[in-house]
Amino acid sequence: MNLYGALEAGGTKMVCAIADESGNILERVSLPTRTPAETMPEMIAFFQKFDICSLGIGCFGPVDLNPGSKTYGYITSTPKLAWENYPIVQEFQKALNVPVGFDTDVNAAALGEATWGCTKDVKCSIYITIGTGVGVGVIVDGKPHHGMLHPEGGHILLNRHPNDPMEHNFCPYHTNCMENFAAGPAIQARWGKPAAELADRREVWELEAYYIGQALCNYILLLSPERIVLGGGVMHQQQLMPLIHKEVAAQLNGYIRCDQMEHLEDYIVPASLQDNQGILGCAKLAMDALKAEGVKA
């Protein structure tokens, strides 16, 4: 049985796992994200305990995904300064001597859903995580989309709601991006409490749905995905999804006419893999890296 290493590299924690080719997680450990000097030896030691065929990394970014670049496999201009310009792929290759697949953390989550979850029956889908930040992973023809760099859909620019009471910006780069309006810290900045303590405040979630719905309309009009998946901590508020469906219908205003628009509850859906979509996507990156290495050989 082939074993695959999977690393979901986040700004707060590093989730390391071992999976089989059916997507079963056999072992898992979560480590705090400290400096490379502190965290890398622990992660390498975990993977060295197993005879893995390859490793897949879904990483916080920005990252360099261009195989022709001198800095391919690097974490680049991250606000986590200890990891800035860090060659994470190369360090794992040297330590483990196995093929390494590499992508953004949110592209990995999108790939997990596309391989084992609720988008495996479509060719084009997007996965959006709304939590501490906002990230968007895009799957086109079954593969993560990169383009010039990689999608940064959490920073698309939106119109501020005229009744938004937020006084201070959360995003250090933009005053009117989705992350500034809709991420978990933005909710707390606006209302003075974390999202988990605001469940019974309908005005909180109506405003949140306005911003998420506005962003989804932009994604729908530009990418025409066959399904949209919403994950992340903010989406644990179950009252939010029906409000988002209502906003998308209202803001599109009948312009897009197709079956999906008639059944938004089946088109814009919650994540389906019990918060394992990221680590499972990393396992798929590992499987694809091994196949690519076989093709080269």
Side-chain angles (χ1 to χ4, degrees):
M1 178 178 65
N2 286 344
L3 297 179
Y4 301 92
L7 167 60
E8 189 175 9
T12 302
K13 62 182 179 180
M14 301 284 193
V15 180
C16 304
I18 304 298
D20 65 19
E21 53 202 11
S22 298
N24 298 307
I25 302 298
L26 307 177
E27 296 282 346
R28 182 201 306 252
V29 66
S30 180
L31 304 168
T33 303
R34 300 190 295 272
T35 66
E38 294 170 299
T39 308
M40 286 295 294
E42 294 179 332
M43 295 191 292
I44 289 168
F46 172 81
F47 291 118
Q48 285 177 333
K49 293 189 297 182
F50 303 91
D51 185 21
I52 61 173
C53 299
S54 55
L55 173 67
I57 304 173
C59 189
F60 66 89
V63 296
D64 189 342
L65 299 177
N66 180 4
S69 169
K70 293 180 180 179
T71 56
Y72 168 74
Y74 279 51
I75 302 170
T76 59
S77 56
T78 175
K80 292 193 70 66
L81 296 181
W83 292 86
E84 188 174 22
N85 298 319
Y86 185 76
I88 188 168
V89 167
Q90 290 80 355
E91 292 300 317
F92 274 112
Q93 285 174 329
K94 285 192 295 184
L96 302 176
N97 194 31
V98 296
V100 178
F102 187 52
D103 215 313
T104 65
D105 49 359
V106 71
N107 261 358
L111 184 61
E113 290 285 1
T115 305
W116 288 288
C118 61
T119 60
K120 63 184 178 181
D121 60 332
V122 299
K123 291 184 177 181
C124 178
S125 61
I126 61 175
Y127 175 89
I128 305 165
T129 181
I130 308 170
T132 304
V134 178
V136 180
V138 179
I139 300 294
V140 178
D141 290 332
K143 297 180 180 180
H145 175 67
H146 297 159
M148 175 184 67
L149 179 66
H150 48 73
E152 283 287 352
H155 290 270
I156 63 168
L157 305 181
L158 304 178
N159 292 321
R160 180 184 289 268
H161 193 285
N163 297 326
D164 189 340
M166 188 164 68
E167 297 179 354
H168 304 290
N169 294 316
F170 160 66
C171 176
Y173 297 98
H174 313 111
T175 61
N176 61 328
C177 69
M178 185 187 183
E179 186 165 285
N180 185 67
F181 289 143
I187 296 173
Q188 182 163 351
R190 180 182 291 120
W191 302 105
K193 295 180 180 180
E197 297 178 20
L198 295 164
D200 60 347
R201 295 274 299 277
R202 186 173 178 84
E203 69 273 21
V204 172
W205 304 110
E206 287 179 341
L207 185 59
E208 182 73 3
Y210 171 82
Y211 287 126
I212 296 173
Q214 187 180 164
L216 295 191
C217 289
N218 288 329
Y219 302 140
I220 291 167
L221 292 167
L222 182 63
L223 298 171
S224 195
E226 296 168 277
R227 189 163 296 129
I228 297 171
V229 185
L230 299 178
V234 169
M235 291 308 305
H236 290 162
Q237 298 289 330
Q238 295 184 1
Q239 73 274 28
L240 190 50
M241 190 67 82
L243 297 174
I244 293 170
H245 294 155
K246 181 180 177 181
E247 281 292 341
V248 169
Q251 294 187 38
L252 283 176
N253 198 28
Y255 180 69
I256 302 294
R257 299 181 184 181
C258 58
D259 289 343
Q260 287 90 337
M261 296 298 103
E262 298 296 324
H263 303 281
L264 288 175
E265 70 279 3
D266 298 321
Y267 177 61
I268 302 168
V269 299
S272 67
L273 295 170
Q274 292 76 50
D275 289 334
N276 285 322
Q277 55 273 5
I279 201 68
L280 287 172
C282 295
K284 183 62 165 63
L285 289 172
M287 297 174 195
D288 291 345
L290 183 62
K291 289 179 182 177
E293 194 74 11
V295 171
K296 291 178 186 177

